[in-house]
Amino acid sequence: MKSSSKLLAAALFACSAASAAPVAYDIDPHHTFPSFEADHMGISYWRGKINKNSGKVVLDREAGQGTLDIAIDLSSIDFGEDLLNKWAQGKDFFDIKKYGKTARYSGTMKLADGTASEVQGELTLHGVTKPVTLKLNRFKCIPHPMLKRELCGADASATFNREDFGLAAGKDYGFSMDVALRIQVEAVAAK
């Protein structure tokens, strides 16, 4: 009887230790689309999105923190206009031949009652790394109804000055250098 009690206690301890461990989530590229809005000479806005991305989120609920690492494929930029997409990838803007096609955002978040309100991080774009804070307008985790694993999602927003990253095209024509980001993201607990 004592050995079965010890076995049960050990099993319960193992379960509680496992539930307290950080959980890694894979970004779902089919439900994650960073979008942006950029000024066009002060008269309208160009809007677009990035169609390909990947990354990981790690949530450590016991420690009350999390990390985020996202790779953004700039070759998948989509303004809805093929010529503008090609120009943005070219030497006059992102220059993906020189700087590579991947931008990266890495950051940390504090969790309170299992949720977060912002991510403090750094954006690496066009060979430059600068701090960018993402405001989390929504953050929620639920059991995925089909995959039977936890699914977390967020709606994030931020604004940054693209000239800080060496992307000043159009400034001489009166373009504002501010870019508004809106990011819908979903991530599924890794197997």
Side-chain angles (χ1 to χ4, degrees):
M1 188 72 149
K2 282 187 179 183
S3 64
S4 64
S5 294
K6 287 180 184 177
L7 186 60
L8 178 60
L12 288 173
F13 176 77
C15 288
S16 67
S19 68
V23 178
Y25 301 81
D26 295 317
I27 297 296
D28 180 347
H30 304 292
H31 291 91
T32 302
F33 296 100
S35 61
F36 56 88
E37 179 178 277
D39 175 66
H40 184 239
M41 294 191 288
I43 60 170
S44 67
Y45 288 100
W46 283 345
R47 291 181 177 91
K49 62 182 180 150
I50 305 295
N51 290 322
K52 294 179 184 173
N53 52 78
S54 61
K56 290 216 175 283
V57 177
V58 177
L59 298 180
D60 186 339
R61 289 180 175 91
E62 186 167 302
Q65 61 190 18
T67 60
L68 171 68
D69 184 44
I70 306 289
I72 303 153
D73 184 345
L74 298 174
S75 70
S76 72
I77 192 166
D78 186 356
F79 284 96
E81 166 60 59
D82 290 342
L83 289 175
L84 190 53
N85 298 344
K86 186 175 179 179
W87 173 84
Q89 294 172 43
K91 65 179 178 61
D92 294 326
F93 203 65
F94 289 131
D95 197 356
I96 63 175
K97 285 185 180 176
K98 180 176 180 180
Y99 295 102
K101 68 177 189 171
T102 303
R104 183 167 296 283
Y105 182 82
S106 297
T108 60
M109 63 188 105
K110 291 183 180 176
L111 301 171
D113 297 324
T115 190
S117 61
E118 70 177 23
V119 179
Q120 296 282 332
E122 292 185 327
L123 175 64
T124 300
L125 175 65
H126 202 244
V128 177
T129 301
K130 295 280 186 182
V132 173
T133 298
L134 295 175
K135 179 183 177 207
L136 298 180
N137 305 306
R138 176 183 288 174
F139 179 89
K140 184 176 181 179
C141 296
I142 63 169
H144 194 291
M146 294 175 284
L147 298 177
K148 307 302 181 203
R149 291 182 274 146
E150 190 172 43
L151 169 70
C152 294
D155 176 73
S157 59
T159 300
F160 70 91
N161 184 316
R162 65 183 172 90
E163 187 176 19
D164 291 346
F165 294 87
L167 300 169
K171 184 176 180 179
D172 294 340
Y173 296 114
F175 285 56
S176 168
M177 296 291 102
D178 288 339
V179 175
L181 296 177
R182 192 69 186 244
I183 304 164
Q184 66 188 52
V185 58
E186 293 184 16
V188 179
K191 291 183 181 181

